[in-house]
Every structure is written in structure tokens, then in C-alpha cells.
Amino acid sequence: MKFLEKLKQAGNSHNSLLCVGLDPDPKLMPVGMTALEFNREIIAATAPFVCGYKINLAFYEALGKQGWEILSETCKLIPPELLSIADAKRGDIGNTSKAYARAVFDELGCDGVTASPYLGYDSLEPFIEYQDKGIFILCRTSNQGSADFQMLKTEYLGQKRFLYEVVADKSLQWNRYENIGLVVGATQQEELKKLRLSYPKMPFLIPGIGAQGGDLKATVENGTNQSGQLALICASRGILYARSGSEFAQGAAEAAKQMRDAINHY
Ligand code: U5P
């Protein structure tokens, strides 16, 4: 199935644009619980309210040698009708990117990946060649330091453009299989609005809701297309750790339902 079709189907399955970030942090999880047990309960509690899960590989690498096993088992727990996006921010010389692509798509079986544009087209091509998978290119990220490079003005096709605008334009040029999307932070509303107007057919992965304080209403208004689609609105800590201790799963379910309903309301 083509990635855009899968995205649409996943959104329709629970009438949701919410994507929960599975970022298990031993400092915030209930004491004595493994990351896999935590993820299992989070997925069971939140699945009815989401279109998918975004799995940041950093939290699994940080678990040491069990990390990959937990990551791989977590991917298998995600219901097949929902999306699994590996937030890996990959990108290296072509030959190395081929190995990165095999890892996230063949080994983990994820539906999508995040990738950095910094090394250029040949660093992304191995991912793009998986025509049914989604590649979300970092365009205007949610963190404060994102302005250091992304907001630099540069000469592009005879005009002064911000670097993030060049990234978006190149991403569109590379989108011959319609499997490329952009990462745009929920803390960057002005750029989110501009990008949506310029790229009405591209999916956007939008992190920064919840702990980072992104504005949910503005995110829906600026980030979705005219039919209210093509946005994956992401929250991790705001859902995973909405309540502490033994009530974490119930807290996550409530937070996810509330966010899904608010998105649909807006
Ligand atoms: N993420 C961002 N901003 C970006 C790209 C990715 O926050 O521009 C990722 C983080 O690495 C983390 C998640 O995995 O999205 C946000 O987590 P939280 O702030 O909702 O807890």
C-alpha cells in the first residue's frame, strides 16, 4: 500500500490525527517497570485514540544491549492498521544510509522514518527508494536552536530564501513516489502556515504538543490541509507521563482521548 493511502487509512481507523511518541524514560516511568511493559500498557491504553506511534530510537539506544530487543518488540505491538514512525533522524553517505534504511524498514518493519537533509539527496535516496514507506525530512524543527541553521537566508534560484524553505522545495522535487513529508514543529506556527500553503499535498509530522507547549488549535488550523488531513500531530511526555505511578496508563488514555477530541473539534 502506498504511504499516503496508509496514512489516510490509519487516520480514519480511529478518526484521529494524533500520533503518540513512545519515548520511555526510566526516570519518568513507574518504578520497577521495563520499557517494554510500559510501552505495552501505553499502546493498549491509547490505541483507540490515535493514528499511530512515533518511536524515538534514542530512548532505546540509551537502554544498552536490551534496547534493540525492546525497540523491535515494541514495533510488533503496534496494531497493523496504525502507523509506526521511527524517529531516527538518519542521513549519511549513500552506502551507510542503505544500512540505516534496512534497519528501520526491513528489520523493525516501521512505516516511516525521520531523516536529516544535511547530507543531500544521495543520503536520502536509499530511504526514498522504499516507495511504500514515508520519509519525513527535518525542515523547521521544534527546538529553539533550530533557527541557527534553518532560518539562515541563502540565495536559491535567484531569490533570498530561508534554508528551511530550500529544504522544503528540494523535498518536493525529490517526491516522485509521493512518499516524502516534512517535520515541522508545533512551536513554529508562522512557518507551519507558510509551508502548508505552499505544499498542500505533503504530509507533515508535527511534534511539540504537550511538554514543549505547542499551540494545538493553531497546529490544526495551520498544519492540516483543506480537508483537515495530512498532519500527524505528535505528543510524547504530555501523554506518557500525564499521571504518575500506577495510574499512568489511565492517565495516558485520558490525555490521548482529550487531545484527539480537541484536534477534531478544531
Ligand atoms: N522531535 C521534536 N521536535 C522536532 C523533531 C522531533 O520534539 O522538531 C521529537 C523529540 O525528539 C521527541 C518528540 O521524541 O518529538 C517530542 O517529545 P515531547 O516533547 O512531546 O515529549
Side-chain angles (χ1 to χ4, degrees), residues 141-175:
T141 57
S142 67
N143 58 315
Q144 222 176 7
S146 68
D148 291 346
F149 297 115
Q150 294 162 21
M151 295 305 281
L152 286 179
K153 279 244 163 137
T154 181
E155 184 90 7
Y156 179 68
L157 303 176
Q159 285 183 338
K160 286 266 179 225
R161 306 289 295 275
F162 289 114
L163 189 57
Y164 86 87
E165 295 180 294
V166 179
V167 167
D169 196 64
K170 288 272 186 200
S171 301
L172 185 70
Q173 285 176 33
W174 299 335
N175 197 16

Side-chain angles (χ1 to χ4, degrees), residues 23 54 56 59 87 89 141-142 183 207 209 211-212 235-237:
D23 296 351
K54 182 177 83 57
N56 194 313
F59 291 88
D87 190 357
K89 301 185 179 69
T141 57
S142 67
V183 177
I209 294 297
Q212 296 177 57
S236 304
R237 286 166 293 177

Side-chain angles (χ1 to χ4, degrees), residues 74-86:
T74 296
C75 292
K76 290 181 199 148
L77 293 172
I78 296 174
E81 72 277 14
L82 301 182
L83 288 171
S84 54
I85 310 286

Side-chain angles (χ1 to χ4, degrees), residues 74-122:
T74 296
C75 292
K76 290 181 199 148
L77 293 172
I78 296 174
E81 72 277 14
L82 301 182
L83 288 171
S84 54
I85 310 286
D87 190 357
K89 301 185 179 69
R90 295 305 194 215
D92 204 316
I93 64 163
N95 186 54
T96 305
S97 277
K98 276 186 198 164
Y100 275 143
R102 285 201 304 273
V104 293
F105 295 145
D106 296 339
E107 282 300 316
L108 296 176
C110 288
D111 298 308
V113 70
T114 58
S116 164
Y118 198 62
L119 270 73
Y121 181 70
D122 59 326

Side-chain angles (χ1 to χ4, degrees), residues 190-212:
E190 199 180 315
E191 292 86 348
L192 182 62
K193 188 173 183 175
K194 270 171 58 179
L195 287 164
R196 178 47 80 207
L197 286 172
S198 304
Y199 304 97
K201 293 185 178 162
M202 272 184 144
F204 291 175
L205 181 80
I206 313 175
I209 294 297
Q212 296 177 57

